[in-house]
Amino acid sequence: MTFHRRTRSVLFASAVGAAAVIPGLSSQAVAAPTPAVQNAGLERLAGDFPECWEQYTTGENTGEFRLAKGAGGKNAVEVELTQRTSGFKAVVQDKACAVKVMPGRQYDLELRYKSTSDSPEIVLFRKAAGKWARWETLPPLSASKTFRDATVRTPVVPEGTEEIRFGLALSEPGTLTTDNYKIASAAGELKCKGPECKKGKWVVRSFAGDKGVRAIHSVLLHNGKVLMIAGSGNGAGRFEQGRFTTKVYNPKTNKFTNVKTPYDMFCAGHVQLPDGRVLVMSGTEEYAQYDPQTGAETAGWIGSKKSYIFNPKTNKYEKANDLIDGHWYPSATILGNGDVYSVGGYAAQRAANNGNLVSPIAERYSVKQRRWLNENEVAQPGINWATYPSLMLTQDGKLFYNGSSVFSHPVNADGSLRGPGFLNPTTGAWGALPNNGNLRAAASRDMSASLLLPPAQDQKVMIIGGKNFADNNAKAIRYTDVINLKAGNPRYTAGPNLPYGTVEIGQTTQAQGGGAGKTYVSAVILADGKVFETGGSQYTRSEHVHEASILDPTKQAKNMKWTSVAADPVARTYHNTAVLLPDGRVLAVGSNPDYPGADGDSFFDTRISIYSPPYLYKGARPKITSVKKGWKYGAKPVIKTNSKITKAYLLRPIAVTHSSDPNQRLVNLPVKSLGGNSYRLTMDKRANIAPPGWYMLVVRTAGGQPSVAKWVHIS
Ligand SMILES: [Cu+2]
């Protein structure tokens, strides 16, 4: 039986007393009205559908609404989606039965549901100035075979809000049954029920045909969108045809914008310049060639000398001058003055034996002169940096090579492994740490993740997992190691092993074990200042591991602990990236296993997974209500929030490829309360702690709930 949408005019029996505001008292001091959901159990019918409830559809999809057996009483409503192109179907309170609410307050919404979908969402509407609109999106719930409770807390009700209404939405084929709705004024801590409360929740978005993108490079722009660069996307056929791709992805609308891509940026380097444009250097001049019989490489890769700058305002690439040499897999580190230093990768020509030739050239982009400098303008240490070496800016302006690289590791003149050490980008002076800085398994750190742990002021670096790519039989490792760069003689010490996940072997999924870890790991600083790692495989582009975990980086290395959380349902191997979004979610994209795709080019999974960390299920998120956009070093900006906060920090937006983003960092901003939810923050004086550019300002409650970010510019 199918119902048609109907709206009833039901006499509105106000359960909400007129909320008189007494002069001199804040709204918080007024006794809380008791809101209520009418026909909460869906028992009273108006014709063939529960009174006070409506069938709500957005986008293009087919399906139906029907009565089903209730969770407690007689009735519930079942929604079935049979086909979907876009949008959702939802059971929502109708306008006549909306709930009166008080601005400045928060409400806890409760309901019971069961669903085949692993991402039903509570939808929320609010009425202001007589007009209804979708309010904020709440994090997704999980699939459940039997009725379960779900409770979410609304954001603070904005000024001018008269009423709200809510319901549950289904946005993928399947069924959803809902019943027993409740609303209450929020008090105390939200009691979150369900697996997502502790483990967070992934939602996967699929794109048919060429609607997705081979996102080998992901860069968060200061408009909240993600620049995804494929170039030829590791497809020799695409390279031959000159099919180079870049897309800008909007995580809010799930839509892509195509960007004209002037050359093959596959395996380029990239970093946001101080003005927020993205400097892209090198890429592929020529693909390698292979013996069709043996698969052996008969000719190496050639790196491009080209460089362009992506402008988020116009969605266009602007040409920069050429590099001195080609750098296929270059590093890209922003310095304290905004210049960009880049080394490593394969040169603009092959080696004498026709194989790969690592470029010995150091490149420097001068922000002031708006150009790449000439060879005689950059100190040339002549080091073989191999491919995507991770060079991090330290507080004294040096670059710390942390021991993480891709495919192979940097080498000394005699061919031996070049371990961690410090490089002076101005003089070219290099100082190695003795004994590889005590980094364990230093030759097994190919495709490891590395990051400057929060806060940047602590100058601690962590390296996570990796594998020895010179040995095909070597398994990825579980080690994490931490070094304190502020120590007199910095040395790595052992951190906690990566937890075991499940691993795809052939057609089976097995429990991981035997000391195996992950290579192609992605690591992201979360909006609450913790570290999140996800994705990876045990072997070269095979045996993919489903595992993700979170760590508190403020402890001593020996006391740190990974807490396992929900794993990405999509296997993410070679060419995966992960990005923290301004709303505190994490986007994971890309996977390029070692078997060919339908088009003959290597297979590439274009699905995007979005992770909602546990902090999104704790309810009450603070909100930044007022902040100045431009900050100078050492400034003491005053911000306003809608509730009490204890911490504030800046997060540098991610620009990542091949597990490598040496510029990712969290800068702590000491907080002084001025009363009335006003706070004075202190911006660090040192540009080497926070290189110039756009940052996400996030504030946090004592309970660990982070705000949505506001963009601020540091200069
Ligand atoms: Cu690659």
Side-chain angles (χ1 to χ4, degrees):
M1 178 164 59
T2 306
F3 294 93
H4 297 286
R5 184 173 178 267
R6 60 189 68 229
T7 313
R8 308 252 133 208
S9 37
V10 174
L11 189 67
F12 184 60
S14 177
V16 185
V21 178
I22 301 157
L25 284 181
S26 78
S27 63
Q28 297 290 331
V30 178
T34 313
V37 174
Q38 297 182 66
N39 196 17
L42 314 180
E43 300 303 336
R44 273 195 329 272
L45 299 186
D48 46 15
F49 204 71
E51 193 177 288
C52 284
W53 295 85
E54 70 173 45
Q55 302 166 19
Y56 187 92
T57 298
T58 65
E60 253 181 82
N61 52 68
T62 55
E64 58 179 45
F65 294 81
R66 56 174 92 93
L67 288 179
K69 192 178 170 332
K74 189 166 171 286
N75 295 334
V77 170
E78 184 177 81
V79 186
E80 183 176 14
L81 264 190
T82 45
Q83 266 191 324
R84 175 186 180 271
T85 309
S86 63
F88 60 78
K89 286 199 189 305
V91 181
V92 182
Q93 290 177 289
D94 69 25
K95 289 174 186 165
C97 295
V99 183
K100 285 221 163 85
V101 291
M102 284 178 66
R105 288 194 175 279
Q106 290 180 287
Y107 295 87
D108 288 347
L109 312 176
E110 197 176 325
L111 54 84
R112 304 200 83 196
Y113 79 94
K114 58 181 177 180
S115 182
T116 58
S117 163
D118 203 25
S119 57
E121 267 180 325
I122 293 180
V123 286
L124 191 52
F125 300 80
R126 78 179 179 101
K127 186 169 133 186
K131 281 208 178 102
W132 280 103
R134 274 290 289 284
W135 192 12
E136 291 185 40
T137 307
L138 297 164
L141 304 171
S142 308
S144 181
K145 281 194 181 123
T146 54
F147 276 111
R148 60 162 281 206
D149 291 326
T151 310
V152 296
R153 184 163 289 176
T154 69
V156 175
V157 174
E159 281 306 318
T161 304
E162 295 146 15
E163 294 175 319
I164 66 169
R165 56 199 183 100
F166 72 107
L168 197 61
L170 177 66
S171 56
E172 61 184 346
T175 60
L176 163 73
T177 312
T178 74
D179 202 352
N180 296 58
Y181 287 74
K182 273 185 206 155
I183 184 167
S185 289
E189 263 198 25
L190 177 74
K191 285 195 184 61
C192 181
K193 297 166 187 165
E196 58 276 359
C197 309
K198 286 209 168 91
K199 304 280 183 192
K201 170 108 198 86
W202 291 90
V203 172
V204 179
R205 297 171 171 179
S206 302
F207 308 94
D210 60 0
K211 283 202 177 120
V213 55
R214 295 179 162 231
I216 291 160
H217 309 267
S218 297
V219 183
L220 181 65
L221 305 170
H222 66 279
N223 55 21
K225 294 174 186 164
V226 185
L227 178 71
M228 296 182 175
I229 307 175
S232 58
N234 203 18
R238 287 174 166 72
F239 180 78
E240 294 306 327
Q241 297 156 13
R243 282 169 59 199
F244 309 140
T245 320
T246 303
K247 295 191 188 209
V248 172
Y249 178 68
N250 184 338
K252 284 195 177 143
T253 60
N254 196 32
K255 294 228 161 76
F256 291 100
T257 304
N258 287 312
V259 175
K260 202 167 171 247
T261 309
Y263 75 103
D264 190 6
M265 295 174 180
F266 169 53
C267 295
H270 33 69
V271 59
Q272 298 93 339
L273 290 171
D275 63 8
R277 293 179 307 154
V278 181
L279 178 65
V280 179
M281 73 284 296
S282 195
T284 309
E285 187 63 34
E286 263 184 52
Y287 268 59
Q289 289 159 27
Y290 301 92
D291 184 309
Q293 250 78 61
T294 65
E297 195 176 278
T298 54
W301 295 85
I302 299 182
S304 172
K305 288 186 180 180
K306 291 198 176 78
S307 173
Y308 275 77
I309 301 174
F310 177 78
N311 189 335
K313 284 206 182 97
T314 58
N315 278 351
K316 285 193 172 115
Y317 285 108
E318 298 159 1
K319 192 164 175 13
N321 63 317
D322 278 1
L323 302 159
I324 304 161
D325 197 1
H327 297 268
W328 194 77
Y329 279 51
S331 71
T333 310
I334 186 162
L335 305 178
N337 71 348
D339 282 7
V340 173
Y341 191 79
S342 178
V343 291
Y346 296 156
Q349 61 189 62
R350 295 189 171 108
N353 68 359
N354 220 22
N356 297 308
L357 176 70
V358 172
S359 172
I361 297 291
E363 311 265 2
R364 183 167 178 148
Y365 183 84
S366 165
V367 149
K368 224 179 182 173
Q369 300 181 47
R370 297 172 162 260
R371 66 176 177 98
W372 289 100
L373 300 179
N374 298 321
E375 190 167 353
N376 60 5
E377 295 171 305
V378 187
Q380 294 294 339
I383 289 172
N384 179 327
W385 283 111
T387 30
Y388 287 130
S390 182
L391 291 159
M392 288 174 170
L393 180 66
T394 67
Q395 62 178 12
D396 58 6
K398 287 193 185 126
L399 298 174
F400 174 58
Y401 167 59
N402 60 37
S404 175
S405 57
V406 173
F407 285 155
S408 62
H409 42 69
V411 289
N412 297 308
D414 64 1
S416 61
L417 178 140
R418 183 184 293 268
F422 293 93
L423 175 78
N424 183 323
T426 309
T427 64
W430 162 258
L433 298 183
N435 187 34
N436 298 326
N438 294 353
L439 176 64
R440 295 178 297 167
S444 300
R445 298 305 188 149
D446 305 338
M447 224 70 89
S448 55
S450 61
L451 74 174
L452 187 64
L453 293 176
Q457 285 95 336
D458 283 0
Q459 295 283 289
K460 283 185 187 163
V461 173
M462 178 181 256
I463 180 165
I464 304 169
K467 183 189 131 54
N468 184 348
F469 276 74
D471 177 2
N472 245 333
N473 296 320
K475 260 188 193 179
I477 61 169
R478 301 177 75 194
Y479 291 163
T480 69
D481 291 78
V482 178
I483 190 168
N484 178 0
L485 302 182
K486 279 172 149 178
N489 292 302
R491 296 288 182 273
Y492 273 103
T493 57
N497 282 343
L498 286 172
Y500 288 131
T502 58
V503 56
E504 292 182 16
I505 300 177
Q507 299 300 309
T508 69
T509 301
Q510 305 173 10
Q512 200 187 13
K518 302 198 295 186
T519 186
Y520 317 117
V521 192
S522 285
V524 164
I525 299 171
L526 292 176
D528 65 353
K530 298 222 167 82
V531 171
F532 173 67
E533 63 79 21
T534 181
S537 304
Q538 289 190 167
Y539 285 106
T540 306
R541 300 172 78 180
S542 64
E543 299 200 359
H544 317 313
V545 181
H546 294 269
E547 188 276 334
S549 56
I550 293 176
L551 170 140
D552 179 352
T554 59
K555 301 203 160 105
Q556 292 249 308
K558 63 176 194 293
N559 298 327
M560 287 178 183
K561 195 175 161 288
W562 292 106
T563 303
S564 290
V565 294
D568 190 339
V570 178
R572 302 231 176 250
T573 183
Y574 188 44
H575 290 152
N576 83 79
T577 57
V579 175
L580 176 74
L581 298 174
D583 63 10
R585 295 181 299 168
V586 177
L587 175 154
V589 62
S591 188
N592 196 181
D594 66 355
Y595 51 88
D599 56 2
D601 281 336
S602 69
F603 176 77
F604 202 102
D605 196 325
T606 62
R607 284 179 292 175
I608 291 177
S609 300
I610 306 249
Y611 179 62
S612 296
Y615 52 58
L616 295 182
Y617 294 90
K618 288 188 177 176
R621 295 182 79 184
K623 191 170 183 174
I624 303 163
T625 52
S626 158
V627 60
K628 206 178 108 195
K629 257 202 159 110
W631 297 8
K632 300 280 178 212
Y633 291 104
K636 294 192 185 296
V638 172
I639 64 161
K640 285 201 174 108
T641 63
N642 69 344
S643 55
K644 192 168 158 34
I645 60 144
T646 56
K647 281 191 187 305
Y649 30 79
L650 298 177
L651 287 149
R652 192 176 164 89
I654 281 176
V656 64
T657 186
H658 293 80
S659 302
S660 186
D661 178 4
N663 304 299
Q664 180 179 189
R665 56 183 60 214
L666 178 151
V667 179
N668 188 43
L669 304 164
V671 174
K672 187 175 184 293
S673 174
L674 304 175
N677 290 335
S678 277
Y679 298 90
R680 179 178 292 128
L681 312 181
T682 301
M683 176 61 204
D684 208 289
K685 288 193 180 77
R686 300 163 294 177
N688 290 333
I689 290 293
W694 287 95
Y695 284 77
M696 295 188 282
L697 168 68
V698 172
V699 298
R700 215 190 77 178
T701 64
Q705 290 100 313
S707 67
V708 170
K710 293 266 188 204
W711 290 94
V712 295
H713 188 260
I714 307 299
S715 63

